[in-house]
Amino acid sequence: MNSEIALFLIQDGLTNGAIYALLALALVLVFAVTRVIFIPQGEFVAYGALTLASLQLGKLPGTAWLLLAAGMAVAIVESVQALRFGAVRRIPAVIFTYIIIPGSLFCLAWWAAPQKPALTLQVLLALLLVVPLGPMVYRLAYQPLANASVLVLLIISVAVHFAMTGLGLVFFGAEGSRTPAFSDAHWKLGVLTISGQSLWVIGTSLALIVALLLFFEHTIYGKALRATAINRVGARLVGVSPAMAGKLSFTLAALIGALSGVLIAPITTIYYDSGFLVGLKGFVGAIVGGLVSYPIAAAGALLVGLLEAYASFWASAYKEVIVFTLIIPVLVWRSLTTHHIEEDEE
Amino acid sequence: MSALLEVRGLCVAYGKVEAVHQAALRVEEGRIVTVIGPNGAGKTTLLAALMGMLPARGSVSYAGKDIARIEPEQRVSRGLCLVPERRELFAAMTVEDNLVLGAFHRYRKSDPTIGADFKQVYQLFPRLQERRRQLAGTLSGGERQMLALGRALMSRPRLLMLDEPSLGLAPLIVRDIFRVIGGLRESGVSILLVEQNARAALQVADYGYVLETGEIAVEGPSADLVSDPRVIESYLGLVSGGAG
Amino acid sequence: MSRKGIPRSRLVLGVFLAFILAAPVVLPEFQVTLLNYIGLYSIVALGLVLLTGVGGLTSFGQAAFVGLGAYTTAYLSTVYGWSPWLTLLTGLALTFVVSVFLGFISLRLSGHYLPLGTIAWGISLFYLFGNMEFLGGHNGISSLPAISFFGLALDTGREFSYLIWLLVLLSLLSMQNLLDSRSGRAIRALKGGGLMAESFGVDTARMKIVIFVHAALLASVSGWLYAHLLRFVNPTPFSINAGIEYLFMAVVGGAASVWGAVVGAGILTILKQWLQELLPKLLGQSGNFEMIVFGVLLVLLLQRAREGIMPLAVRFFPASRTPIPASSQALPQRVRPVVGELLLEVKSVRKVFGGLVAVNDLSFTMNSGEILGLIGPNGAGKSTVFNLVTGVLPRTGGEVHFRGERIDTLSARAIIPRGLARTFQQVHLLPTMSVLENVAIGAHLRGSKGAISAALRLERAEEAMLLAEAARQLERVGLGASMHEQAGNLALGQQRILEIARALSADPVLLLLDEPAAGLRYQEKRALAELLRKLKSEGMSILLVEHDMDFVMRLVDRLVVMDFGEKLAEGLPQEIQSNPLVLEAYLGGIE
């Protein structure tokens, strides 16, 4: 291997690694706040990518229908609960949030899609259609079980992953899609050619990481999420409800997922079920960080990206095997360094 | 004068064990009411249930409204606030962020008077201002209790419920804390104080209840309870006809 | 309800066996195939019922173990012409090694690392199967030999059905045997957090590996059967999605009975078949749309009926109670110390949490045959002392000696065989197990037979002795009449007494009771006090951490009072009651 290829692989690895790092951060966030191991993160990646692909073809994306249906389901669940607790006053707000807003987004997409607006608007529209699914999924699947053990929540996650993959197949079909690059620019830097798309991906990821940092450090909602992660009882006592924290963290995770999908769609062909593997690679990174440390998780995810790039050069057939086997030494290392903690769950 | 908090027939159970049985108590606006009693009498359970952290049966009316079925978060925004026995601070966050979060529901409503309350809390506990950039987990026991109280005050409570504020604190600090509690009444906050340290609690309170194995055994004005022999009995088990 | 005649469960079992015998002959080909698949899946799901339902752990990688079994036999029997029976053993050996390794590295970490590790392992192995040239890549391996059974070649699905269901029944039976044994009780104790089990000498880390390996081996057997049923293997059926479906089966069935595995496998297999015909027609395109239904179904099931559907079915079949074996032989007992001998010596014990000194150089001693009370106000550090003596917490400084031997460096598991047995402040019972079985956990270390002899029922003599001992202790504490009830149905007072019986089953010299009177009613306290007095008169020594003063004062010989982690006073109950320091500590003061 010459240095040109080596540098190219590093660029490739960092580009993918940046996306895995974003996903790893979202996974750590969701786990810290809700104790949910968010396996369906990957589906948000696929939904983001495929929604954008549909919009570029001038078609109404299937996720618009899904948004409408999920909103309806949440509205029903919330209304039933409101009636049971005699809080009828809440129903108009529920209808507005879960029926009127998704309905308006649906109409917007229906009107805008055939006009093929500018790429930025398409991306924005794709995010608007996919991100609200995050809190809705939390409300429907997880919130009723918020006090269950990590294990039960994990099984729920896998079930949600199953359902969302199946729905992806219904709405997007079995065909894969690849969107055009955000930028065709290339720069020569010595022996290395830097692609504009790579810069886009790495730049956006960095910007998002900085934005998240600012959000956690300097906003009241960011602090509320950190507080919930540190001490759930304490958070409730100052008025931060676990349901609100859960929905907020799922919104952020869905945003990060969908945006990752948008970023990755020009690099690789995305199918309805591709998200799972992409998300799991973020997971390997998150596990390196023990599901608690943001910087270590991000570093682990970059390592996964690099490993994958080199593996696909040397032994492309075994790429996935090598990446997922990385988890074994990580677990060995963690089990040797972690002192046994007794979990008194369930 | 109508009661700010009126509790009737409150029962709280953990599975099969009823920890509080048919408790009834009142807190009048602007008063300090204390619930004392030995270890394990159900005092902490009682407060947790009033805060909505534990499911309970019975009626709880607060400021004239039934709040028995609303979530703890909603109780907080109505001015009910609990400083729990375990303090439940955000150990990995700074002292200042802990205080900020105390005012969480007020930030949501963009309350403009939060800044003034910051000043007030720092005035009350200058130690907290000195340590405002320090992580809450690094504070000493007394400072933690100050922070817990400060965080509670940032929510601008109408009824403040304190669970064993003297627990594990050296006598000098206990005196400070009780001085602050006495001062809060002057600023119009009503207080429900749960204490094992009966003498200190009765000295600061207007009215007291003695909780024993989940039931209110004795009640009366604090001055009467201080000299009531039944209080000592309930603590040290001098009553005849005990177990066995 | 009358129990005359044949019990309902026997009747259903009989009908089921008749069905299994007749079905391969009378049913059409397609349904026999479906039945075969249900059998194969049941074996895998059974492993998960043990792992997830009973043990509280889980794995999404069972399909990979199925694949390991299937590919091992496919490769060895086609390339080297090995007999399928030999490849079965090879596959099991390979699975054993892999699962021990995976279990060892992930089970020491908190509960969610095992399932995450198995997802990664499941994906890795799937891609390995698909990319290894010698395993045929994505085309797989075909023309496997048929299994021959005493010269009879099982080369049709109908004949094979008997082999599958024979193995299903054997697995069910051995699993049922295992759960109803010393090891089985230890496994069932895992789910409530390992503290109680460890306190009675169960090596929980090892038990977790045992059930993980057991589940993996069952999956491997299923893979072997699958390979020789189809006489062909390729990677598809061993994907991570298949692994997830196996878990669904176990959750749908539930852990209330080993039959949950068969019920779950049956329901999901038939449902999948039906949905695969129905949904593509409805949606006008082809694909695995049953995934959506499975996903939604599982979410609803976990939200509404977390225990699966077996509990409903089990209610219909009243359990037959296991008779207590009249054991001829009693378990050996340890040598008891003479009354008055120095038993426990706590020397300047210290415990610091972060910056907080919870126990500050506390010393006290205790002699054989006495009841010592350890009291103090809330937060005085009593429970910490209790946890230091029982080995639950490591101490920061000082020493604890028991019968002349230093024990502060030992774990809870190592302390119990030395004759210290404890109860818990919050009762740690297994509510769905019988009172007798719960008490038998206390005698865990007085037996030695493991999981394999339990599955094969080679440990009945020892089991009889253990159960007889548990029954004897139940009679001793006066709970003999409730022996066969579910422990969860007892009132709190009885549950506390059950915990004492469980501790007594360990044949202790010293009983450590952590707030045994908390939450008890007046009558219950009286009964408890009477029992403790009786035990004392029989020579038992008791260390009592308690805050109920009425209860303590009338029971103990001597008291140690703690405040702020230090010893405040020590003496006879009357002395303590009139000690002004104690009064001050309890009632406080602000002067």
Side-chain angles (χ1 to χ4, degrees), chain C residues 323-494:
Chain C
I324 321 155
S327 175
S328 48
Q329 207 185 340
L331 290 169
Q333 290 197 334
R334 75 179 84 240
V335 185
R336 322 222 133 245
V338 194
V339 169
E341 184 185 308
L342 178 64
L343 199 60
L344 181 73
E345 196 176 6
V346 174
K347 290 188 198 167
S348 324
V349 158
R350 188 177 180 80
K351 177 69 190 178
V352 180
F353 293 107
L356 188 85
V357 183
V359 178
N360 192 0
D361 293 339
L362 181 84
S363 302
F364 65 90
T365 59
M366 184 179 170
N367 293 334
S368 173
E370 93 177 314
I371 301 187
L372 180 73
L374 183 62
I375 62 168
N378 233 343
K382 307 179 296 271
S383 288
T384 311
V385 172
F386 193 94
N387 286 331
L388 292 175
V389 173
T390 48
V392 174
L393 286 175
R395 89 248 176 274
T396 315
E399 293 180 9
V400 181
H401 292 250
F402 180 68
R403 300 183 83 179
E405 186 186 6
R406 189 165 169 190
I407 60 165
D408 51 83
T409 48
L410 303 176
S411 67
R413 182 147 50 86
I415 284 178
I416 175 93
R418 287 167 167 77
L420 273 94
R422 65 171 297 182
T423 66
F424 295 87
Q425 193 173 339
Q426 265 157 4
V427 286
H428 275 59
L429 297 173
L430 301 163
T432 56
M433 257 162 66
S434 76
V435 170
L436 183 71
E437 288 175 299
N438 265 288
V439 172
I441 291 176
H444 185 79
L445 285 185
R446 299 172 78 184
S448 60
K449 295 280 198 283
I452 295 170
S453 36
L456 301 174
R457 294 257 129 156
L458 301 175
E459 37 59 276
R460 286 294 105 181
E462 180 188 282
E463 174 74 1
M465 276 160 46
L466 293 177
L467 289 181
E469 172 69 12
R472 190 158 43 241
Q473 298 303 345
L474 277 169
E475 296 291 352
R476 185 175 177 192
V477 301
L479 272 184
S482 319
M483 215 173 273
H484 297 290
E485 272 179 54
Q486 281 201 354
N489 291 345
L490 297 187
L492 181 73
Q494 291 174 309

Side-chain angles (χ1 to χ4, degrees), chain C residues 173-186:
Chain C
L173 187 68
S174 63
M175 181 76 73
Q176 209 154 22
N177 289 347
L178 171 63
L179 289 176
D180 177 31
S181 76
R182 171 181 175 268
S183 300
R185 288 187 288 272

Side-chain angles (χ1 to χ4, degrees), chain C residues 82-264:
Chain C
W82 286 20
S83 144
W85 297 104
L86 195 57
T87 59
L88 171 65
L89 295 180
T90 320
L92 287 175
L94 198 59
T95 309
F96 179 83
V97 172
V98 172
S99 58
V100 166
F101 174 71
L102 281 178
F104 186 76
I105 62 171
S106 51
L107 284 170
R108 283 162 49 106
L109 302 170
S110 29
H112 47 276
Y113 281 98
L114 178 69
L116 289 179
T118 56
I119 290 180
W121 131 263
I123 293 174
S124 290
L125 203 74
F126 171 73
Y127 282 101
L128 264 185
F129 290 146
N131 286 299
M132 299 264 219
E133 295 283 322
F134 73 96
L135 294 181
H138 285 283
N139 297 324
I141 301 173
S142 48
S143 332
L144 268 69
I147 293 173
S148 64
F149 197 67
F150 294 110
L152 175 76
L154 306 175
D155 50 7
T156 70
R158 290 183 192 277
E159 287 160 2
F160 209 85
S161 192
Y162 290 111
L163 178 62
I164 292 176
W165 282 95
L166 177 69
L167 285 174
V168 172
L169 291 172
L170 284 177
S171 317
L172 284 170
L173 187 68
S174 63
M175 181 76 73
Q176 209 154 22
N177 289 347
L178 171 63
L179 289 176
D180 177 31
S181 76
R182 171 181 175 268
S183 300
R185 288 187 288 272
I187 291 167
R188 288 149 85 185
L190 291 177
K191 212 178 179 181
L195 178 63
M196 184 273 282
E198 284 278 332
S199 296
F200 286 102
V202 176
D203 186 344
T204 53
R206 188 166 169 273
M207 278 301 164
K208 286 179 183 172
I209 293 184
V210 166
I211 58 176
F212 182 61
V213 171
H214 191 138
L217 292 177
L218 284 174
S220 181
V221 169
S222 172
W224 175 78
L225 283 170
Y226 174 87
H228 290 284
L229 170 67
L230 284 150
R231 320 268 292 271
F232 163 73
V233 291
N234 72 342
T236 319
F238 313 125
S239 69
I240 191 74
N241 278 1
I244 294 171
E245 282 176 16
Y246 284 127
L247 184 71
F248 284 10
M249 290 173 192
V251 174
V252 167
S257 150
V258 291
W259 288 92
V262 181
V263 172

Side-chain angles (χ1 to χ4, degrees), chain B:
Chain B
M1 192 171 164
S2 77
L4 178 60
L5 180 77
E6 172 113 44
V7 179
R8 281 201 216 100
L10 191 78
C11 302
V12 196
Y14 297 99
K16 295 187 165 209
V17 192
E18 203 169 54
V20 171
H21 180 67
Q22 291 288 341
L25 57 90
R26 284 164 68 87
V27 181
E28 317 254 294
E29 189 97 50
R31 294 294 182 89
I32 299 183
V33 172
T34 186
V35 176
I36 55 175
N39 258 346
K43 305 186 298 288
T44 296
T45 309
L46 172 71
L47 285 198
L50 291 180
M51 197 60 211
M53 304 291 283
L54 286 175
R57 285 180 295 117
S59 93
V60 181
S61 111
Y62 168 78
K65 286 195 177 126
D66 178 23
I67 58 162
R69 292 174 77 182
I70 71 173
E71 296 289 310
E73 297 81 25
Q74 288 167 289
R75 297 184 199 213
V76 172
S77 58
R78 293 194 192 181
L80 209 67
C81 187
L82 169 67
V83 179
E85 188 181 344
R86 293 160 46 94
R87 322 298 191 232
E88 309 288 3
L89 298 173
F90 308 119
M93 296 174 84
T94 61
V95 166
E96 188 155 280
D97 278 348
N98 271 274
L99 293 177
V100 166
L101 282 162
F104 178 73
H105 72 98
R106 298 168 67 196
Y107 279 101
R108 293 184 85 175
K109 295 170 204 148
S110 311
D111 186 334
T113 59
I114 296 175
D117 285 359
F118 254 109
K119 274 201 196 109
Q120 228 168 13
V121 168
Y122 282 146
Q123 224 161 37
L124 207 54
F125 304 111
R127 287 292 278 284
L128 294 184
Q129 186 161 23
E130 284 165 31
R131 300 182 184 251
R132 66 182 191 281
R133 303 251 168 264
Q134 223 171 297
L135 296 186
T138 65
L139 299 182
S140 73
E143 289 163 349
R144 280 179 206 203
Q145 182 58 275
M146 291 176 199
L147 181 55
L149 267 174
R151 186 178 74 180
L153 293 178
M154 288 302 293
S155 77
R156 193 170 279 183
R158 201 168 155 196
L159 175 63
L160 183 59
M161 302 194 286
L162 305 172
D163 193 356
E164 304 261 5
S166 75
L167 182 70
L169 299 186
L172 264 175
I173 301 173
V174 173
R175 192 161 56 189
D176 281 353
I177 297 279
F178 273 91
R179 194 179 297 146
V180 170
I181 294 171
L184 286 177
R185 172 177 37 193
E186 310 310 318
S187 59
V189 182
S190 314
I191 293 170
L192 180 59
L193 171 68
V194 154
E195 259 298 342
Q196 182 182 260
N197 190 331
R199 286 183 181 152
L202 289 174
Q203 220 156 68
V204 73
D206 302 300
Y207 197 85
Y209 296 86
V210 181
L211 196 65
E212 204 180 334
T213 52
E215 294 184 50
I216 302 274
V218 186
E219 66 175 281
S222 303
D224 300 352
L225 288 183
V226 171
S227 52
D228 193 324
R230 286 177 297 173
V231 176
I232 297 181
E233 282 165 10
S234 112
Y235 273 72
L236 288 189
L238 297 171
V239 217
S240 56

Side-chain angles (χ1 to χ4, degrees), chain C residues 554-575:
Chain C
R554 302 175 151 264
L555 187 65
V556 301
D557 299 311
R558 235 159 28 91
L559 277 166
V560 172
V561 189
M562 284 183 73
D563 196 19
F564 287 110
E566 292 176 15
K567 184 159 76 178
L568 188 70
E570 184 171 4
L572 303 173
Q574 311 86 282
E575 294 168 5

